[in-house]
């Protein structure tokens, strides 16, 4: 079983095998597991395992114990799952006969959401998860980039609500389907706890690969595909915009091809510095139910800012007062900044680096395989 340790003084079960356990108490789950092996009660208790769990978390090291029982030697193995700064985000626990081969476990990794930077901080071990490749690894990504790798996902609002308004005790667990370059379906289990303490301001996350032989990925509906195609042909693109934070949180359609929104050092750079301050000024109009239109300058793939017409609509529901639905249209006369083949960056270069260009080129070369529309 996997015990998440995403918040101070918290240890609950994230998963057992490939199945989610939704923050169940680890002692209760463990007792059910021990009941299937009565001989273990001779020399083992939940208290003893609890001490081993605490030691593995505190020391950030593996625990490997041999336990004598009436039916022979048994083994307790505990392995930490690390986050981006080597903090322990979870502990993976295996218990069984000493003669039995420890089964291979699928990858798991800890990541952290930094609210102030609006970035997901991730260790390079995340490249081992399905849908990720080492050539595209960067230490920081926006939440929009994370969402863009999911397919058939519909819990964006719940995730954004927790990440952008973290409160002590807030937690969320869900699974998300992703597609690998091979086209094979895969599934991730994501466990999140809000953090507002001395160690973190945002949230800690645990991501586990729970792909199995029966994993399937649902195809998009005809309505979904038709709407995306209609917007593409009309030259309009829809995104969820964080008003006060001045960033793109999620694309509802294909991303606008003239806007560089991905592989940035800072997601706010998608809007010109002078225009970031203008977005919050329309918040009151949106809260009253009105729409608001303005022209903003958005970053292109050459490092320049070009004009984009932005029409903002209130986000449905009262829980998401800081979100808006943005309709983006390239301003008349502006040139496209991303070639139609989408296989590389324009020839002219940026004066100062604004993002991870090398990884971006690799991503663009295979973007048609990653698109959530397929």
């Amino acid at each position: 079983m996997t015990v998440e340790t995403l918040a101070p003084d918290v240890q609950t079960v994230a998963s057992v095998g490939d199945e989610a356990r939704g923050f169940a108490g680890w002692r209760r789950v463990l007792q059910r597991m021990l009941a299937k092996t009565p001989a273990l009660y001779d020399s083992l208790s939940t208290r003893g395992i609890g001490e081993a769990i605490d030691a593995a978390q505190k020391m950030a090291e593996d625990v490997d114990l041999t336990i004598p029982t009436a039916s022979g030697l048994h083994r307790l193995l505990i392995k930490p799952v690390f986050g981006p700064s080597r903090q322990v985000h979870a502990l993976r626990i295996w218990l069984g006969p000493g003669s039995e081969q420890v089964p291979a476990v699928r990858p798991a990794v800890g990541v952290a959401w930094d609210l102030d930077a609006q970035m997901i901080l991730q260790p390079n071990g995340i490249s081992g998860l399905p849908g990720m490749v080492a050539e595209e690894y960067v230490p920081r990504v926006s939440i929009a980039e994370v969402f863009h790798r999911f397919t058939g996902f519909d819990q964006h609002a719940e995730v954004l609500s927790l990440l952008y308004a973290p409160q002590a005790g807030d937690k969320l667990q869900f699974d998300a389907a992703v597609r690998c370059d091979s086209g094979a379906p895969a599934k991730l289990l994501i466990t999140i706890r809000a953090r507002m303490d001395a160690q973190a301001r945002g949230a800690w996350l645990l991501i586990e690969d729970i792909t199995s032989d029966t994993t399937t990925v649902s195809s998009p509906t005809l309505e979904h595909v038709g709407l995306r195609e209609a917007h593409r042909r009309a030259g309009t693109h829809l995104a969820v915009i964080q008003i006060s934070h001045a960033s793109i949180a999620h694309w509802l359609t294909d991303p606008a091809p003239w806007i560089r929104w991905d592989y940035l050092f800072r997601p706010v750079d998608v809007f010109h510095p002078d225009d970031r301050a203008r977005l919050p000024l329309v918040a009151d109009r949106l809260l009253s139910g009105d729409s608001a239109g303005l022209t903003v300058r958005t970053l292109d793939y050459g490092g320049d800012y070009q004009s984009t017409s932005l029409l903002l609509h209130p986000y449905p529901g009262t829980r998401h007062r800081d979100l808006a639905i943005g309709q983006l249209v390239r301003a008349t006369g502006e040139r496209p900044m991303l070639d139609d083949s989408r296989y590389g960056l324009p020839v002219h270069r940026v004066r100062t680096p604004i993002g991870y260009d090398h990884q971006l080129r690799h991503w663009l070369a295979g973007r048609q395989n990653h698109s959530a529309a397929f």
Side-chain angles (χ1 to χ4, degrees):
M1 69 179 180
T2 300
V3 174
E4 58 87 10
T5 57
L6 298 174
D9 304 319
V10 167
Q11 295 172 338
T12 66
V13 180
S15 65
V16 175
D18 297 331
E19 298 183 2
R21 280 296 184 267
F23 306 99
W26 70 263
R27 289 176 176 80
R28 181 170 41 124
V29 175
L30 180 63
Q31 286 169 354
R32 291 177 181 175
M33 297 172 67
L34 290 176
K36 300 176 182 179
T37 313
L40 287 173
Y41 279 115
D42 295 346
S43 307
L44 199 61
S45 66
T46 54
R47 179 179 178 180
I49 294 179
E51 292 174 350
I53 289 174
D54 290 340
Q57 181 178 359
K58 182 178 180 180
M59 302 301 294
E61 295 178 349
D62 292 0
V63 169
D64 193 346
L65 300 177
T66 299
I67 305 163
T69 71
S71 59
L73 294 178
H74 280 66
R75 185 182 182 192
L76 172 64
L77 181 62
I78 306 176
K79 287 183 171 291
V81 177
F82 295 105
S85 299
R86 294 291 292 178
Q87 311 101 325
V88 178
H89 283 225
L91 299 162
R92 309 189 95 174
I93 304 169
W94 183 84
L95 184 62
S99 59
E100 186 174 320
Q101 182 70 29
V102 178
V105 293
R106 293 185 178 88
V109 69
V111 303
W113 164 254
D114 185 331
L115 175 60
D116 296 325
Q118 298 187 74
M119 299 292 276
I120 294 285
L121 315 181
Q122 53 188 19
N124 57 14
I126 201 165
S127 300
L129 293 175
M132 294 290 298
V133 293
E135 293 82 359
E136 294 172 7
Y137 166 75
V138 293
R140 295 152 60 96
V141 298
S142 68
I143 188 61
E145 291 173 270
V146 175
F147 284 152
H148 202 63
R149 293 181 180 271
F150 296 167
T151 179
F153 187 68
D154 62 358
Q155 291 183 260
H156 306 90
E158 292 92 332
V159 176
L160 291 172
S161 179
L162 186 150
L163 295 184
Y164 276 93
Q167 301 291 327
D170 286 354
K171 60 184 184 293
L172 186 63
Q173 186 177 69
F174 56 88
D175 58 65
V178 296
R179 283 195 181 276
C180 304
D181 284 343
S182 63
K187 186 170 289 187
L188 303 176
L189 177 65
I190 301 177
T191 307
I192 310 176
R193 280 190 183 272
R195 295 287 300 267
M196 296 296 285
D197 52 66
Q199 279 191 287
R201 174 177 160 82
W204 276 14
L205 297 81
L206 170 68
I207 306 178
E208 302 175 74
D209 177 12
I210 58 169
T211 307
S212 67
D213 295 337
T214 60
T215 297
T216 59
V217 176
S218 59
S219 300
T221 64
L222 180 61
E223 178 185 30
H224 177 75
V225 173
L227 286 173
R228 292 180 76 104
E229 180 64 13
H231 280 290
R232 188 187 69 81
R233 290 179 177 273
T236 62
H237 300 268
L238 300 179
V240 177
I241 308 292
Q242 276 285 346
I243 299 299
S244 65
H245 292 83
S247 64
I248 295 174
H250 170 53
W251 287 101
L252 298 170
T253 63
D254 289 338
W258 70 92
I259 297 176
R260 177 168 180 178
W261 60 278
D262 44 1
Y263 286 96
L264 295 172
F265 294 146
R266 305 189 312 158
V268 295
D269 285 336
V270 72
F271 294 110
H272 190 278
D274 294 339
D275 294 331
R276 294 170 205 160
R278 296 171 56 210
L279 285 174
L281 299 179
V282 303
D284 289 341
R285 291 183 58 185
L286 297 175
L287 289 175
S288 67
D290 293 335
S291 298
L294 61 163
T295 298
V296 295
R297 288 157 291 181
T298 53
L299 185 68
D300 63 31
Y301 282 85
D304 298 316
Y305 282 92
Q306 307 293 335
S307 295
T308 293
S309 297
L310 177 61
L311 180 61
L312 295 170
H313 303 281
Y315 192 93
T318 57
R319 291 181 55 208
H320 313 292
R321 300 166 61 89
D322 200 30
L323 300 179
I325 305 298
Q327 177 178 293
L328 301 98
V329 180
R330 183 188 293 139
T332 304
E334 296 291 352
R335 64 189 187 282
M337 296 310 301
L338 183 59
D339 61 314
D340 291 337
S341 66
R342 300 185 181 183
Y343 274 67
L345 294 173
V347 176
H348 62 286
R349 299 306 310 137
V350 184
R351 273 75 62 190
T352 57
I354 55 174
Y356 306 95
D357 290 353
H358 177 76
Q359 292 88 342
L360 175 64
R361 289 191 188 94
H362 191 278
W363 166 256
L364 291 174
R367 177 171 281 184
Q368 65 272 31
N369 296 326
H370 293 288
S371 174
F374 297 97

